[in-house]
DNA sequence: TCAATGACCTGCC
DNA sequence: GGGCAGGCCATTG
């Protein structure tokens, strides 16, 4: 069981500052499994049940690919907007500026 | 136990 | 510079 992996993902996701976003690849790289970026997304799906700010985690293009997994799907965008994060068409504006790299900040 | 899937990323054409 | 295909690892059926 790689539950530790999930916990690590939750930990990093929980460390994401408000008004900031990151990508699956960044988290995966921080955990040392850059090739398993998909697993991060997979873990995020499970993190839905926990109090993890999954809405701050998006793909490398700054696109809210997993918004459909929220309930309702608009919740993700709403949450980001509530944190002063500009979101247009499921796409984060100034993603590069709001990008939060755990390898860089931590 | 084996096989298929998945909120992705990197590399090559 | 843009588009396509492959790969990686854990979870679920």
């Amino acid at each position: 069981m790689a539950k530790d992996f999930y916990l690590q993902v939750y930990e990093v996701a929980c460390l994401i500052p408000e008004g900031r976003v990151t990508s699956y690849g960044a988290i995966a790289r921080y955990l040392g499994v850059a090739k398993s970026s998909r697993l991060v997304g997979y873990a995020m799906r499970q993190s839905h049940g926990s109090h993890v700010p999954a809405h701050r985690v998006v793909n490398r293009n700054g696109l809210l690919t997993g918004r459909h997994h929220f309930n309702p799907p608009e919740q993700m965008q709403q949450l980001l907007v509530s944190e002063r994060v500009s979101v247009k068409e499921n796409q984060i504006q100034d993603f590069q500026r709001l990008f939060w790299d755990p390898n860089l900040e931590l």
Side-chain angles (χ1 to χ4, degrees), chain A residues 2 33 46 49 60-61 69 80 90 99 105:
Chain A
V33 286
Q46 296 292 329
R60 241 234 161 258
N61 290 317
H69 290 261
L80 287 169
N90 309 331
F99 186 74
E105 302 285 338

Side-chain angles (χ1 to χ4, degrees), chain A residues 66-81:
Chain A
R67 69 168 184 140
H68 204 319
H69 290 261
F70 275 76
N71 70 107
E74 303 171 355
Q75 187 78 312
M76 189 173 186
Q77 183 173 330
Q78 193 66 47
L79 285 166
L80 287 169
V81 173

Side-chain angles (χ1 to χ4, degrees), chain A residues 15-49:
Chain A
L15 288 171
I16 301 173
E18 266 187 38
R20 282 283 178 74
V21 291
T22 187
S23 63
Y24 305 96
I27 297 175
R29 190 169 58 180
Y30 175 71
L31 297 178
V33 286
K35 306 163 216 143
S36 309
S37 49
R38 305 182 85 182
L39 280 306
V40 179
Y42 220 90
M44 298 260 80
R45 183 150 80 89
Q46 296 292 329
S47 71
H48 232 243

Side-chain angles (χ1 to χ4, degrees), chain A residues 18-21 77 79-87 92-93 98:
Chain A
E18 266 187 38
R20 282 283 178 74
V21 291
Q77 183 173 330
L79 285 166
L80 287 169
V81 173
S82 295
E83 295 184 1
R84 316 301 178 196
V85 179
S86 304
V87 180
I92 296 179
Q93 304 300 299
L98 298 171

